[in-house]
Amino acid sequence: MDYDVIIVGAGSMGMAAGYFLAKEGKNVLMLDAFTPPHEEGSHHGDTRIIRFAYGEGASYVPFVKRAGELWQELESLANESLFLQTGVVNIGEPTCAFIQNVEASAALYDLALEHYSPDEAMNKWPGLFLPKNLVACFEPTAGVLRVEACIQAYKKLALEAGASLRTNEKVLAIQAGDIVQVQTVHNSYKAKQLIVTAGAWATELLQTVDVSIPVTPTRKTFAWFEADEQLYRDEVFPAYCFEFADSTYYGFPSIDGAGLKLGRHDGGDVVNPNDPLRPFDASDAVDLQNFVDQFMPQHGTLKYGKTCKYSMTPDEDFIIDFLPEHQNIVIAAGFSGHGFKFSSAIGEALADLIVEGKSKQDLSTFKLSRF
Ligand SMILES: Cc1cc2nc3c(=O)[nH]c(=O)nc-3n(C[C@H](O)[C@H](O)[C@H](O)COP(=O)(O)OP(=O)(O)OC[C@H]3O[C@@H](n4cnc5c(N)ncnc54)[C@H](O)[C@@H]3O)c2cc1C
C-alpha cells in the first residue's frame, strides 16, 4: 500500500486535513494541481473574514468557535500572527434574515455584540455612511484571517509532521474500491482512504466515480480602493458585511496600507474551472464603485481588482460527508463563499471522520443526502 490516506486538493481544507492526519500518525499524501497557496482557486486575496455571530445561521456557531480556537493554536504553533481582531460590523435592515441570525447566534451562545443606530455607527466610524433604515451589529471579537499565511502555516506543519505533498500534479480520475486509486498527470497512487477537497473542481473530479454533487463553480470579483488611512486603517475601521434584499457585500479595512477591500457575495457567472477566468474589468468595477461611493464615500480611487472562484451549493450550506457507496472516501466541498474561516475546524473534522469514522462536530447540516 502506498499511503493510509490521499488528499486530493491541498488548499484551504485539504492542507489543514493533511496536518491533522499526519499529526495522528497517518501516512498521508496531499496532491494538488498547483502549488498552494496559489491564485487559481478560492483562497487568494490576502484576507478572509471570521465572524462568530453567524448570519448564515446559529447552527454554525459551535463549528466556527472551534475554528477560532484552532486558529489561535495555529498562530502559536507557527509563531506567527494570522488573525487580526478588527471586529466585524454586520449591517442590514433589522428584519432581514442575516441580521436576525446574527442576533440569535449572539443571544444563544452569549457572544459579544454591540448595536448601533445609523447615527451612532457614523459617529463611531466616520468613514461610514448609513441611511436611516439600516442597523449595525458590531462583533468586537471577530476579525480577519491572513488567508495565504494560514495555508502556508498548515503546509509547513503538515510537512514537519511527515505528510507528503506533490504539487503541480492534477488528479485526473479516482477509482473507488477497498483500496482507492488515483490517476494523476504523472503517476498513480493507492491508499486505504481518500479525501476530496478539490474546491471548484470537486464536481468534475467526483464524476470520475459516478457521483454527482450540486456544486457550481462561480466567478467572483473583489477590489481595493485608495483609502484615507485616518478613517479606514484596521486600527479604526472594522471588516464589514452589508446585507440587502437583493445583494450582499463584504469587505475589509485598509490592512498594511493595502487600501479598502470590497467584494460582492451574491451573483457571479457560472464558469468551467479549467478555463482562465475573465480578468477583472470595467464592468466589474462599476458595481463595487457604486457601493463604496454610497456607503464609504470618503474612499479614494480604485487601485485594482482580482477574480476568484466560489463553489456554490443550492442552499449555500457546505457538503462534508462520506460518499454514500464508498465509506472510505470523504468529500468536503461547496463552501459557497463562506468556508475559509472554518477550514481549521474542517481539517480537524475530516481527520476525525477518517480516523474515528465520526466527528465531534455536528455535521448533519452538511450531508450529501439533503439534495
Ligand atoms: C473572493 C473570495 C472571498 C471570500 N471571502 C471569504 C471570507 O471573508 N470568509 C470566509 O470564511 N470565506 C470566504 N471565502 C470562501 C473561502 O475562501 C472558500 O470557501 C475556501 O477557500 C474553499 O476552500 P477549498 O479547500 O474548498 O478550495 P481551495 O482553497 O480552492 O482548494 C482546492 C484545492 O484543490 C486543488 N485541486 C482541484 N482539483 C484538483 C485535482 N483534480 N487534482 C489536484 N488538485 C486539485 C486546487 O488546486 C486547490 O488548491 C471567499 C472566497 C472568495 C473566492
Side-chain angles (χ1 to χ4, degrees), residues 73-109:
E73 187 180 295
L74 183 63
E75 279 191 312
S76 101
L77 289 170
N79 194 20
E80 193 181 353
S81 164
L82 302 169
F83 169 71
L84 295 176
Q85 194 179 326
T86 58
V88 175
V89 62
N90 298 286
I91 292 170
E93 294 202 3
T95 51
C96 82
F98 190 88
I99 293 292
Q100 301 256 312
N101 283 334
V102 167
E103 302 271 14
S105 298
L108 203 56
Y109 292 98

Side-chain angles (χ1 to χ4, degrees), residues 5 14 34 38 101 157 173 192 216 243 284 289 301 312 354 361:
V5 188
F34 302 96
H38 59 73
N101 283 334
L157 291 178
K192 292 177 206 146
T216 309
E243 185 79 14
D284 298 315
Q289 184 84 51
T301 52
M312 301 303 296
I354 288 287
Q361 298 299 326

Side-chain angles (χ1 to χ4, degrees), residues 154-348:
Y154 271 133
K155 179 175 178 174
K156 184 164 178 286
L157 291 178
L159 296 179
E160 281 171 8
S164 303
L165 170 65
R166 288 179 192 261
T167 56
N168 302 312
E169 188 157 352
K170 182 170 181 169
V171 173
L172 303 175
I174 298 167
Q175 207 179 314
D178 291 344
I179 300 299
V180 186
Q181 189 161 335
V182 299
Q183 181 64 49
T184 74
V185 280
H186 303 308
N187 284 300
S188 82
Y189 304 95
K190 288 182 187 156
K192 292 177 206 146
Q193 290 166 293
L194 182 79
I195 297 178
V196 178
T197 40
W201 291 264
T203 307
E204 71 164 30
L205 191 58
L206 287 167
Q207 279 163 0
T208 68
V209 272
D210 294 327
V211 171
S212 162
I213 56 167
V215 171
T216 309
T218 308
R219 173 184 180 272
K220 305 302 296 183
T221 63
F222 50 103
W224 286 260
F225 291 83
E226 297 284 358
D228 176 346
E229 292 286 317
Q230 297 294 325
L231 294 174
Y232 296 117
R233 70 182 192 282
D234 59 290
E235 288 89 354
V236 297
F237 199 74
Y240 53 90
C241 300
F242 278 69
E243 185 79 14
F244 303 109
D246 58 353
S247 56
T248 306
Y249 295 83
Y250 65 91
F252 303 81
S254 179
I255 296 169
D256 303 332
L260 200 55
K261 182 182 163 192
L262 168 67
R264 182 164 174 174
H265 175 71
D266 63 298
D269 298 335
V270 173
V271 292
N272 177 334
N274 299 308
D275 293 341
L277 287 179
R278 177 168 57 81
F280 186 89
D281 62 21
S283 67
D284 298 315
V286 171
D287 181 46
L288 299 179
Q289 184 84 51
N290 287 341
F291 176 90
V292 273
D293 287 351
Q294 188 174 0
F295 297 103
M296 286 150 213
Q298 293 163 82
H299 71 86
T301 52
L302 174 69
K303 290 175 79 174
Y304 58 93
K306 286 193 176 187
T307 56
C308 193
K309 292 170 190 134
Y310 272 10
S311 301
M312 301 303 296
T313 62
D315 57 11
E316 300 191 15
D317 287 322
F318 312 152
I319 298 171
I320 305 174
D321 204 353
F322 292 97
L323 284 191
E325 313 264 305
H326 309 290
Q327 290 296 302
N328 56 350
I329 302 180
V330 177
I331 60 167
F335 290 101
S336 303
H338 64 117
F340 189 79
K341 63 183 78 62
F342 297 89
S343 57
S344 54
I346 289 172
E348 182 185 57

